[in-house]
Amino acid sequence: MSLRSAVRFVKPFRCVWKPSDGAPRRGYAAMADARAILESELEGIRVAGTWKGERIITSKQGPRINVDGSRGTILNFCANNYLGLSSHPEVVQAGVDALKTYGAGLSSVRFICGTQDLHKNLEKKLAEFHEREDCILYASCFDANAGLFEVLLGPEDAVLSDELNHASIIDGIRLCRAKRLRYKHMSLEDLEVRLQEAQSSRMRLVVTDGVFSMDGDVAPLEGICDLAERYDAMVFIDECHATGFLGARGRGTDELLGVMERVHIINSTLGKALGGAAGGYTVGPKPLIDLLRQRSRPYLFSNSLPPPVVGSSTRAVELLLASNQIAQSMTAKTMRFRDKMTEAGFTIAGSAHPICPVMLGDARLASLMADDMLKLGVYVVGFSFPVVPKGKARIRVQISAAHTDQDIDRCVEAFIQTGRKHGVVS
């Protein structure tokens, strides 16, 4: 009998095997108990007004998008697409070319059979971009942060971390066995106290976001570097919300504040300004990068970045290496939004950064206002606990180089209309 003939006699198998000893009933009861607990947690989130729904976008990423359930084109002011490169024709074409030449993926990790020449080329260009010795790619910057600290630091070392650092930094530090010291947010005075406490350690690493993504705050890197040099410490920054557009050439926070030669290790992402797809990386001293290739668990046990992602990101970096024009266009647009919103009576956190948090305080208010903004043709999202502290709910607006002045003015008008409806502004 052929296999095709045999298959005709096989009936669909829909039942679940149930032993006769009653074990399944006990298993079902356990799952029922767990389900009740989970549903209770979910209901608590809904009641608190902090439920995070996911809107469905039916177009490519950009300053104007199509959103399921909404009519017409929507202005997008809630993406990390700072330079508008996510749908840049050359960036997209580079991804298509890489897909055709190198395939969809490597089906493996880097050290087995997952390294292609395009991976090495991107690492070289990123090291050049940041003016560092070497670079290593990861599947995400979350992975880069998860993979760094346990390789670099041991029990005899100390890590000093800003209390508002990104969750991936916090999780990465938890994985290492170094002495962990937190200092108050952007407080040089408290950092100095912690550095004094850590003087008996073999190595000291000061860790901070270059830009804090929820508030748009820029870390006081000059002062941090001064203290690090005084107390013989290294400096690490996470540059996810700075790479590509801060500084005269878009190199990041260290360029903006004039400390490129004083910051030792940088982690950043390809998934925001540099093409917007996925991927992260570490740049720094070559011995560190070599050691990460040998011991960093997210690198050793995760598939290599897909060729289309690498191709797109490479072209994005090439565009920035060739010209600083896109990066320089951000400042005026950012200040246009901040100034007009402040004049209208809104409280905007941060300063001079494309992340412009519209502070509202109440989680439910932030969610309702964001929904009303969408009805007016502007896509924004309310941020609330646990993404931000309780009582600090906000709508985080993000300005892109692809936004026009007319786009910005329309967004401000929608905020004014919605703010008046909810009593936020008069």
Side-chain angles (χ1 to χ4, degrees):
M1 184 188 306
S2 68
L3 178 60
R4 181 175 297 178
S5 300
V7 169
R8 293 196 185 103
F9 293 97
V10 179
K11 294 183 179 179
F13 183 73
R14 300 182 182 275
C15 64
V16 177
W17 176 72
K18 298 180 180 180
S20 58
D21 60 0
R25 285 189 292 275
R26 290 193 294 272
Y28 296 152
M31 190 62 242
D33 291 343
R35 182 181 293 273
I37 293 170
L38 296 174
E39 291 292 355
S40 176
E41 289 288 326
L42 292 171
E43 183 59 23
I45 295 172
R46 294 186 185 96
V47 169
T50 57
W51 183 268
K52 297 162 190 63
E54 295 182 356
R55 297 168 178 165
I56 300 173
I57 297 173
T58 58
S59 64
K60 61 186 177 182
Q61 182 63 275
R64 294 166 185 79
I65 56 176
N66 295 324
V67 179
D68 188 34
S70 297
R71 293 182 178 180
T73 301
I74 306 296
L75 281 177
N76 186 7
F77 277 88
C78 196
N80 296 316
N81 185 23
Y82 293 108
L83 298 176
L85 296 180
S86 296
S87 53
H88 189 286
E90 294 183 36
V91 173
V92 172
Q93 187 59 51
V96 172
D97 293 343
L99 176 65
K100 291 179 178 179
T101 303
Y102 291 95
L106 278 300
S107 305
S108 188
V109 301
R110 287 283 295 270
F111 82 96
I112 297 177
C113 64
T115 299
Q116 294 174 320
D117 56 347
L118 82 171
H119 293 98
K120 302 302 293 184
N121 181 47
L122 178 54
E123 288 171 336
K124 180 180 178 181
K125 289 185 182 297
L126 286 168
E128 177 187 353
F129 182 81
H130 287 281
E131 299 179 7
R132 298 308 196 275
E133 291 180 17
D134 204 356
C135 172
I136 179 173
L137 291 173
Y138 288 89
S140 68
C141 190
F142 202 111
D143 279 348
N145 285 336
L148 172 69
F149 302 106
E150 68 172 336
V151 172
L152 177 61
L153 303 172
E156 62 272 46
D157 304 315
V159 56
L160 304 97
S161 177
D162 187 294
E163 65 181 353
L164 293 188
N165 276 337
H166 191 269
S168 59
I169 293 177
I170 296 170
D171 287 355
I173 289 174
R174 285 173 177 162
L175 293 172
C176 79
R177 294 182 293 164
K179 182 179 181 181
R180 288 170 260 173
L181 300 168
R182 287 197 305 170
Y183 63 92
K184 295 177 182 178
H185 180 48
M186 300 201 308
S187 171
L188 296 176
E189 294 79 9
D190 197 43
L191 173 58
E192 183 167 18
V193 172
R194 305 303 165 213
L195 282 166
Q196 291 169 349
E197 292 178 12
Q199 281 305 286
S200 61
S201 300
R202 180 188 65 171
M203 292 193 301
R204 288 156 294 282
L205 179 67
V206 180
V207 175
T208 182
D209 283 351
V211 173
F212 293 85
S213 61
M214 290 299 107
D215 298 289
D217 291 335
V218 178
L221 285 185
E222 187 174 4
I224 289 174
C225 290
D226 288 343
L227 287 173
E229 290 165 5
R230 186 181 308 165
Y231 291 96
D232 193 24
M234 297 180 294
V235 177
F236 162 94
I237 56 176
D238 180 310
E239 285 285 82
C240 286
H241 290 275
T243 297
F245 58 94
L246 282 194
R249 301 169 301 156
R251 297 318 190 248
T253 314
D254 57 343
E255 182 185 48
L256 176 72
L257 300 179
V259 293
M260 287 190 73
E261 296 181 356
R262 303 171 69 190
V263 171
H264 306 98
I265 306 166
I266 293 174
N267 279 5
S268 194
T269 182
L270 305 171
K272 292 182 172 59
L274 302 185
Y281 58 89
T282 299
V283 292
K286 191 176 188 309
L288 169 63
I289 303 304
D290 288 343
L291 188 60
L292 290 172
R293 293 191 195 281
Q294 300 302 312
R295 292 184 179 173
S296 181
R297 291 166 68 86
Y299 180 82
L300 291 172
F301 297 103
S302 295
N303 267 23
S304 55
L305 276 177
V309 171
V310 180
S312 293
S313 299
T314 300
R315 187 60 189 139
V317 175
E318 289 172 346
L319 290 172
L320 297 178
L321 285 168
S323 171
N324 62 0
Q325 184 176 357
I326 303 177
Q328 288 183 339
S329 71
M330 293 293 296
T331 302
K333 294 179 180 182
T334 296
M335 296 316 299
R336 184 182 187 92
F337 178 82
R338 284 181 170 274
D339 290 345
K340 284 179 174 288
M341 287 289 286
T342 301
E343 183 181 350
F346 291 96
T347 300
I348 311 299
S351 61
H353 189 278
I355 292 174
C356 304
V358 182
M359 303 303 295
L360 299 169
D362 181 77
R364 190 179 300 279
L365 173 63
S367 179
L368 290 173
M369 281 189 62
D371 289 342
D372 286 344
M373 290 282 288
L374 184 61
K375 295 173 185 175
L376 295 175
V378 178
Y379 186 110
V380 290
V381 172
F383 284 60
S384 56
F385 182 82
V387 179
V388 296
K390 290 182 178 179
K392 299 288 186 180
R394 68 205 60 185
I395 291 176
R396 190 182 73 174
V397 175
Q398 290 165 275
I399 307 300
S400 168
H403 288 130
T404 66
D405 288 349
Q406 291 73 25
D407 294 338
I408 293 170
D409 292 348
R410 182 178 161 193
C411 179
V412 172
E413 286 302 318
F415 262 110
I416 292 173
Q417 184 175 337
T418 306
R420 286 172 178 166
K421 173 183 176 181
H422 292 278
V424 176
V425 295
S426 58

